Amino acid sequence: MNLILLFDVFLIAALLLVSWRLLGASDLFQATVLFISFGLFLSLAWIRLGAPDIALAEAAVGAGLAGVLLFGTFKGLEPGADRENDSFTSEPCRLDPISPCPGKIHLLLAFTCVGSLTTLLVLAVLDLPATGDGLTPMVSQFLERSGVEHPVTAVLLNFRFYDTWLELGVLVAAVLGILCVRNRFDLRELKVLQAPDVMLRRLVMGLAPTMALVVVYLLWLGDHAPGGAFQAGVVLAAMLVLLWFSGHASITGLSRMLWLFCLIAGFAVMLLVAVVSALWPEMRPLEFPEEWSAMIILGVEVVATLSIGVALSSLAILSLGAVDDPGGS
Amino acid sequence: MSTFSIYSLAAILLVGLGVYGLFTRQHLLRKVMALNVIAGGIFLLLISTAYRNQDLFPDPVPQAMVLTGIVVAISATGFALALVRSIHRRMAESETDPSQDSWDQP
Amino acid sequence: MNQVIWVVLLPFVGSVVCLLAHRKAVFALGMAASLGTLIVSVGLVAHVWEHASARVELGGWATPLGIALHLDGLSALFLLLTAVVGVLVGIQAGSYFAQSPELRAMGSRFWPLWLLLWGGLNGVYLCSDVFNAYVLLEISTLAAVGLTILSGSTASLVAGLRYLLAAMFGSFMYLLGVALIYAGTGQLDFLLLSRGVTPQVHTLTAFGLMVFGLLIKSALLPFHFWLPPAHSSAPAPVSAVLSALVVKASFFLLLKIWFVVFESISGGTPGGMPSQLLGILGSLAVFWGSFQAVRQSRLKLLIAYSTVGQLGYLFLIFPILASPDFQGHEALAWGGTIFHLFSHGLAKASLFLAAGCLLQAMGTDDLHAMRDIAGRLPVITFSLGVAGVSLMGLPPSAGFVAKWMLLRAVLASGQWWWAPVIVLGGLLTAAYVFKILAHTFVPSEGEALRLNSVPLVMTLVPLALAILCVLMGFRADEVIALLPAVPHFGTGKNGWEMP
Amino acid sequence: MENFYLGVACFLFLTMFVGLVRVFLGPQQEDRLVAVQLFGTTGVAILLLLAHAFDAPSVRNAALLFTLLAVLAVVAFVRTPESLDGEKE
């Protein structure tokens, strides 16, 4: 028992230390690197707290995609900031280039505000009831009627289907937003990277099929164990990004229509379910008949995986390549 | 101290650190990271809430909320980083050639 | 009452179809979806008028487990405002984005994002679940930021990033509140929460955080910094949507959180500090926003600052309704606020669209360049004037009715100190409206500015919006008669009972 | 047996703290990157130990993902182009 407390203390100390240094360190590259380890420690925390679903997603997002996004942006911002960069002096990237650095008063004010906010939050958290089962009894009561055996999947794709559907809409909105940054609507104009050296090519030749297998595996796990469309989608995204990095066309090879189709498919399929159920006379909106729910959930999951994979990888590739060309469309 | 209270306190401290970083750091990449630290703290609070119930399985509703939240956070982060990079590039261009910006309003 | 869901479904269907459709068909498809949504929204208003509120449990799962949609008078009115402004802005966008190949490309991105935003906004008006509200807020925020940066100019990118960061921070604070409230009560539904919350430290903190997050998103005074650049640097149809609708959605959610979810807390402290504080911030916003608007020399920036000021009036409802010696005038306060919301939405959309026309005609929106515009672009100048009159609150416009009702509500609540805010705010508004109009009447010296042509439709839409705004003032009785359908929150018979 | 697994996990955690020092001190980008990669490996080990300690086999899937995706950050570091539309700075 004491050992587990020790583990908790270590884990929390690591989380706080990493996030403190990540925000405080003068070196931007260090912050980027620390951000990746922040994701790692968070996944350990999810495992410790009995949430392997989240750990899977965090492993893929925190260690995989967030790293790609941050490294990519870092390189874009500081192309020359290689090597001995502890004393890095290049132009800082700010919203208001003219505004002065925060003075002592600003820092003091921020510290007071945040200090009082944190104190209030600590009091609030200490005031929370130490036990509470939330909606667990209801979920376990209706789990049989949901069409899947894994409670988290049941909540995501049946009880709170509406949220999940809207969340795919958020993804679509983000990708469309990035397209506005680029002033383009087509991925094929993005340069395909030059073929890498032999080592990376061999590595990717081994890794990519494994990842594809893992995608299918996670998807299959979803109905009875931790796993499912989100986690599978994120791994798919990681695979597509890796392929792009190793000089393959990946999603940048898709035609505009096909790419848009994959991007919107998850949202559109859930929309289709919503429209059909709204038109069906005896059913509530977003309701599906019990005997079909397993089928519907599986179908939605497969399409959602594809959409999440394509959307997240487009997000990564586009934001690495969010280099617009003013005036030249 | 129960596991729940340890982790929820840690979650709150993460949120505090993140907010402080967001207010005081000027660099845009750092602001985006600070927002992600805040998000991590909130997710940790939700999951430690779910952990309180260990009878059958941990409460799946906060877990579903966090899964949704992670995807929302990574999409917003990707969007923000794309904007950061684009703005940085425009600024660098306009320093060398002020007439570059031909995309002003028609 | 299953047709409620259609106000969310139709815009989303439109969005998907517009994304996949050929560029030439996008406008027609988008307008079809818009008109469909308008028809359904009008039907829902009629339903509330006849039968009171409705509740739909999505997926057939009862509420603690599933998510419910809740339609009441307030939601119906917001749906109607969004649909009216949405359809008119859509018509404007049709000709605005048809003028050059660059704009056409922009238009093919405008429609999917705008319809996605519209669906998100309608979802917010119907939502009855604190976490669902978070997802809906995110979808509207990301779509709104995407629309802000539509033109791709550097100024709009910077404004968009500022907007995104502020909005993300606001959402996270809101989500933190949601996490605390769920940890405390194990509920997410508005109605169930309103029965479950008791004034404890964690519920109070959750309340504070959720309100704080929504205040950032609805740009109340110290948190308004992101609004003027974002609203002024977007293309005209987008500015109209952002100013008239998007900030109001966060305000709508604030109303629900304040008066429904935490009714026992916010109503339990009559005249308490929080509501007075919101009133003070609102008043400061009225003065500061209007003062900044007077100082601007660019038309779109002026109108954007005017939004900051006009939003301030909305926050007076919190202290008015919290007053202990306030009896039987809830309808007056609600009516004034809703009327202000409507009149501001219509007038502001009209102003931004008219400003867009001017920008196109003159090539700049510098006020000093607007010489002799009144004689040469009479329709646009007339729209500016009529919408301005409504903003000022001169009779017979809707703005007048709104401010008159607010004034009466303030006096009835015994809090006379808010009355000068309403009157002085009106005077400051007059100052900037006259500043705009004065510039249009200055005769040009020497060679006149060469004006580009503006399509007729583009000049007529702002006029239609401004005239609607005035007509609402003439028809004040009917609109007020519709207002009892607005819930009297907190009196028990509020439409927030399970049907 | 559970205590043994947890004990080893705690020890591995201590080694990660030592690794953190390398990330903090640098001085070169490669030092920091390699230290974080090392974390990834240690993290996988801790995950596997926890899988035994909590008797939760699904944790192994998380370890699998970490192993698969650890390479992505390095590839991104090495391969991210500084310009993508063929323009040179």
Side-chain angles (χ1 to χ4, degrees):
Chain A
M1 195 57 227
N2 282 330
L3 271 176
I4 197 141
L5 191 65
L6 186 68
F7 182 81
D8 289 346
V9 170
F10 278 170
L11 184 51
I12 286 167
L15 271 176
L16 292 176
L17 189 67
V18 164
S19 57
W20 172 59
R21 288 294 298 173
L22 143 77
L23 296 168
S26 60
D27 173 20
L28 199 61
F29 183 78
Q30 182 182 344
T32 314
V33 166
L34 281 174
F35 190 81
I36 296 172
S37 53
F38 182 68
L40 172 72
F41 288 123
L42 269 184
S43 335
L44 286 179
W46 306 142
I47 295 293
R48 166 68 185 88
L49 293 173
D53 288 275
I54 320 287
L56 285 170
E58 183 79 47
V61 168
L65 283 179
V68 171
L69 281 173
L70 284 170
F71 273 130
T73 316
F74 175 79
K75 273 222 167 169
L77 297 186
E78 318 286 349
D82 283 33
R83 310 311 125 195
E84 311 278 340
N85 55 358
D86 260 325
S87 58
F88 109 148
T89 50
S90 72
E91 187 72 10
C93 180
R94 295 176 182 171
L95 268 184
D96 313 293
I98 27 169
S99 81
C101 276
K104 277 207 173 113
I105 299 179
H106 181 119
L107 286 179
L108 196 69
L109 194 70
F111 189 78
T112 325
C113 288
V114 175
S116 40
L117 176 76
T118 315
T119 319
L120 183 68
L121 285 172
V122 167
L123 289 177
V125 162
L126 290 178
D127 185 53
L128 285 175
T131 56
D133 45 11
L135 296 173
T136 325
M138 294 216 62
V139 173
S140 65
Q141 187 189 340
F142 290 102
L143 190 57
E144 278 182 16
R145 287 175 47 194
S146 72
V148 286
E149 290 164 39
H150 184 51
V152 178
T153 311
V155 172
L156 276 175
L157 285 156
N158 202 339
F159 305 142
R160 295 180 74 86
F161 186 87
Y162 188 42
D163 273 350
T164 313
W165 169 38
L166 291 171
E167 185 229 298
L168 289 179
V170 173
L171 260 179
V172 173
V175 176
L176 292 184
I178 293 191
L179 287 174
C180 291
V181 179
R182 290 198 73 241
N183 270 318
R184 289 286 174 79
F185 225 147
D186 201 334
L187 287 181
R188 273 177 303 177
E189 288 140 5
L190 280 173
K191 192 172 72 178
V192 174
L193 295 186
Q194 285 178 352
D197 49 40
V198 181
M199 205 172 101
L200 182 57
R201 226 169 34 228
R202 291 270 163 81
L203 181 71
V204 171
M205 269 165 59
L207 266 182
T210 322
M211 283 181 166
L213 268 182
V214 169
V215 171
V216 178
Y217 171 61
L218 284 175
L219 197 56
W220 168 77
L221 273 182
D223 78 321
H224 58 277
F230 280 100
Q231 294 87 346
V234 182
V235 177
L236 180 63
M239 184 187 96
L240 291 170
V241 173
L242 189 68
L243 280 178
W244 182 72
F245 271 127
S246 60
H248 294 81
S250 182
I251 51 164
T252 55
L254 298 176
S255 74
R256 176 174 173 271
M257 270 321 273
L258 196 58
W259 174 73
L260 276 179
F261 199 77
C262 292
L263 174 71
I264 199 93
F267 184 71
V269 160
M270 292 175 99
L271 181 62
L272 188 70
V273 171
V275 168
V276 169
S277 62
L279 288 174
W280 209 277
E282 291 101 39
M283 275 199 289
R284 301 286 183 139
L286 303 185
E287 184 177 357
F288 22 87
E290 217 176 301
E291 60 272 22
W292 291 357
S293 49
M295 281 290 292
I296 293 176
I297 289 179
L298 185 67
V300 166
E301 275 202 298
V302 171
V303 182
T305 304
L306 177 71
S307 270
I308 293 174
V310 169
L312 284 179
S313 56
S314 317
L315 213 62
I317 293 175
L318 278 170
S319 73
L320 299 186
V323 182
D324 43 14
D325 45 350
S329 68
Chain B
M1 288 283 269
S2 65
T3 310
F4 162 65
S5 40
I6 298 180
Y7 277 94
S8 52
L9 280 179
I12 291 311
L13 292 180
L14 279 182
V15 172
L17 272 173
V19 176
Y20 185 68
L22 183 71
F23 285 178
T24 55
R25 303 309 302 234
Q26 300 277 309
H27 197 289
L28 288 171
L29 195 56
R30 205 77 71 127
K31 278 192 193 289
V32 175
M33 286 184 195
L35 280 170
N36 275 291
V37 171
I38 298 177
I42 298 171
F43 298 157
L44 192 57
L45 179 63
L46 276 167
I47 294 299
S48 66
T49 305
Y51 183 75
R52 287 181 305 177
N53 176 59
Q54 287 291 328
D55 303 339
L56 294 150
F57 36 78
D59 192 350
V61 176
Q63 297 195 38
M65 280 156 67
V66 171
L67 272 179
T68 307
I70 285 180
V71 176
V72 170
I74 187 81
S75 3
T77 304
F79 191 6
L81 289 179
L83 277 171
V84 169
R85 189 161 171 187
S86 212
I87 289 170
H88 179 80
R89 195 183 165 83
R90 298 284 185 88
M91 299 261 176
E93 262 167 17
S94 65
E95 262 170 32
T96 49
D97 178 11
S99 67
Q100 252 316 322
D101 194 359
S102 58
W103 267 93
D104 259 329
Q105 302 252 332
Chain C
M1 226 13 246
N2 286 356
Q3 63 264 40
V4 172
I5 188 89
W6 284 103
V7 285
V8 182
L9 290 183
L10 277 178
F12 282 162
V13 170
S15 175
V16 170
V17 171
C18 283
L19 192 63
L20 296 176
H22 189 264
R23 193 173 278 184
K24 281 177 187 152
V26 165
F27 171 66
L29 292 167
M31 273 321 284
S34 307
L35 286 173
T37 314
L38 176 66
I39 292 167
V40 178
S41 303
V42 171
L44 290 182
V45 173
H47 177 92
V48 173
W49 178 235
E50 283 161 18
H51 306 93
S53 61
R55 192 175 173 83
V56 178
E57 278 162 348
L58 294 179
W61 302 109
T63 20
L65 186 61
I67 300 172
L69 297 184
H70 195 107
L71 175 77
D72 59 16
L74 196 62
S75 349
L77 285 171
F78 270 82
L79 286 173
L80 184 66
L81 172 67
T82 309
V84 170
V85 174
V87 166
L88 286 170
V89 166
I91 296 173
Q92 176 90 345
S95 45
Y96 180 89
F97 289 118
Q99 303 180 68
S100 71
E102 273 171 26
L103 282 170
R104 267 195 289 277
M106 236 182 255
S108 65
R109 288 191 295 264
F110 168 82
W111 281 100
L113 272 172
W114 154 233
L115 289 171
L116 204 59
L117 173 63
W118 191 347
L121 294 176
N122 281 352
V124 170
Y125 304 144
L126 292 175
C127 102
S128 172
D129 182 286
V130 280
F131 184 72
N132 185 231
Y134 164 75
V135 185
L136 284 162
L137 278 179
E138 284 290 345
I139 211 174
S140 347
T141 302
L142 287 186
V145 175
L147 286 172
T148 308
I149 60 172
L150 200 62
S151 72
S153 68
T154 307
S156 74
L157 291 188
V158 174
L161 182 60
R162 193 188 298 267
Y163 181 14
L164 180 62
L165 291 180
M168 268 174 85
F169 178 62
S171 309
F172 282 144
M173 288 298 105
Y174 175 84
L175 185 62
L176 186 57
V178 172
L180 276 178
I181 198 85
Y182 184 78
T185 62
Q187 302 284 0
L188 291 169
D189 186 72
F190 283 179
L191 195 61
L192 297 171
L193 276 175
S194 73
R195 294 177 189 152
V197 292
T198 44
Q200 285 168 293
V201 179
H202 66 264
T203 35
L204 287 171
T205 314
F207 176 49
L209 284 168
M210 289 163 94
V211 169
F212 177 52
L214 290 172
L215 287 183
I216 295 177
K217 292 199 144 199
S218 43
L220 183 62
L221 182 67
F223 316 117
H224 68 288
F225 55 91
W226 57 265
L227 188 146
H231 287 199
S232 63
S233 63
V238 175
S239 306
V241 167
L242 291 179
S243 251
L245 307 174
V246 176
V247 277
K248 309 266 165 60
S250 318
F251 179 74
F252 173 87
L253 206 56
L254 184 61
L255 287 179
K256 288 248 154 135
I257 296 291
W258 192 283
F259 291 109
V260 177
V261 179
F262 290 96
E263 197 263 329
S264 59
I265 292 178
S266 58
T269 52
M273 280 296 292
S275 41
Q276 291 293 326
L277 184 67
L278 283 191
I280 291 169
L281 290 179
S283 316
L284 289 177
V286 170
F287 291 135
W288 178 252
S290 312
F291 175 66
Q292 285 295 328
V294 175
R295 289 185 54 208
Q296 300 305 318
S297 61
R298 279 189 48 219
L299 182 57
K300 286 187 84 179
L301 209 53
L302 186 155
I303 304 174
Y305 269 109
S306 144
T307 301
V308 174
Q310 298 290 325
L311 286 174
Y313 288 113
L314 297 176
F315 290 88
L316 291 182
I317 192 172
F318 298 104
I320 295 177
L321 286 185
S323 168
D325 29 301
F326 186 66
Q327 280 154 4
H329 290 82
E330 285 102 339
L332 210 53
W334 278 108
T337 306
I338 301 292
F339 232 89
H340 181 64
L341 233 145
F342 256 80
S343 71
H344 176 252
L346 295 172
K348 195 45 67 75
S350 165
L351 280 178
F352 263 125
L353 294 182
C357 296
L358 275 182
L359 188 63
Q360 185 174 342
M362 305 192 308
T364 168
D365 68 340
D366 191 346
L367 284 174
H368 299 287
M370 288 171 38
R371 289 170 178 277
D372 202 19
I373 288 295
R376 298 166 70 192
L377 295 169
V379 181
I380 297 173
T381 315
F382 185 66
S383 316
L384 279 177
V386 175
V389 161
S390 182
L391 273 191
M392 277 189 266
L394 289 187
S397 65
F400 167 73
V401 180
K403 278 169 192 161
W404 181 241
M405 284 169 87
L406 272 179
L407 208 55
R408 276 171 60 204
V410 159
L411 295 177
S413 74
Q415 304 182 42
W416 53 268
W417 53 89
W418 302 120
V421 175
I422 298 174
V423 177
L424 285 176
L427 285 179
L428 276 169
T429 311
Y432 62 74
V433 170
F434 282 129
K435 182 175 177 182
I436 303 175
L437 293 181
H439 280 290
T440 63
F441 282 102
V442 176
S444 55
E445 302 154 355
E447 202 174 331
L449 196 67
R450 211 180 64 78
L451 296 181
N452 305 321
S453 68
V454 180
L456 184 64
V457 182
M458 280 180 64
T459 61
L460 290 182
V461 172
L463 186 66
L465 280 162
I467 287 175
L468 266 181
C469 196
V470 173
L471 282 185
M472 239 181 78
F474 279 121
R475 293 278 166 231
D477 291 343
E478 281 85 345
V479 181
I480 293 170
L482 191 80
L483 280 175
V486 172
H488 300 256
F489 292 121
T491 54
K493 50 177 180 5
N494 58 20
W496 273 89
E497 297 301 314
M498 291 272 196
Chain D
M1 209 50 192
E2 184 187 314
N3 272 338
F4 171 72
Y5 291 131
L6 278 175
V8 177
C10 287
F11 174 73
L12 286 178
F13 231 111
L14 279 178
T15 66
M16 281 169 102
F17 278 110
V18 179
L20 268 183
V21 175
R22 189 36 67 194
V23 181
F24 293 157
L25 294 182
Q28 302 223 323
Q29 291 185 352
E30 285 79 0
D31 296 323
R32 302 194 157 124
L33 193 69
V34 170
V36 163
Q37 284 301 307
L38 190 68
F39 279 13
T41 318
T42 321
V44 170
I46 295 183
L47 282 176
L48 291 175
L49 286 166
L50 289 185
H52 280 281
F54 301 146
D55 195 25
S58 56
V59 173
R60 292 195 196 109
N61 292 331
L64 173 71
L65 280 197
F66 265 111
T67 329
L68 268 182
L69 299 180
V71 72
L72 209 61
V74 183
V75 175
F77 173 70
V78 181
R79 295 275 301 170
T80 299
E82 278 158 19
S83 156
L84 281 176
D85 285 350
E87 293 164 315
K88 289 279 166 286
E89 305 239 357

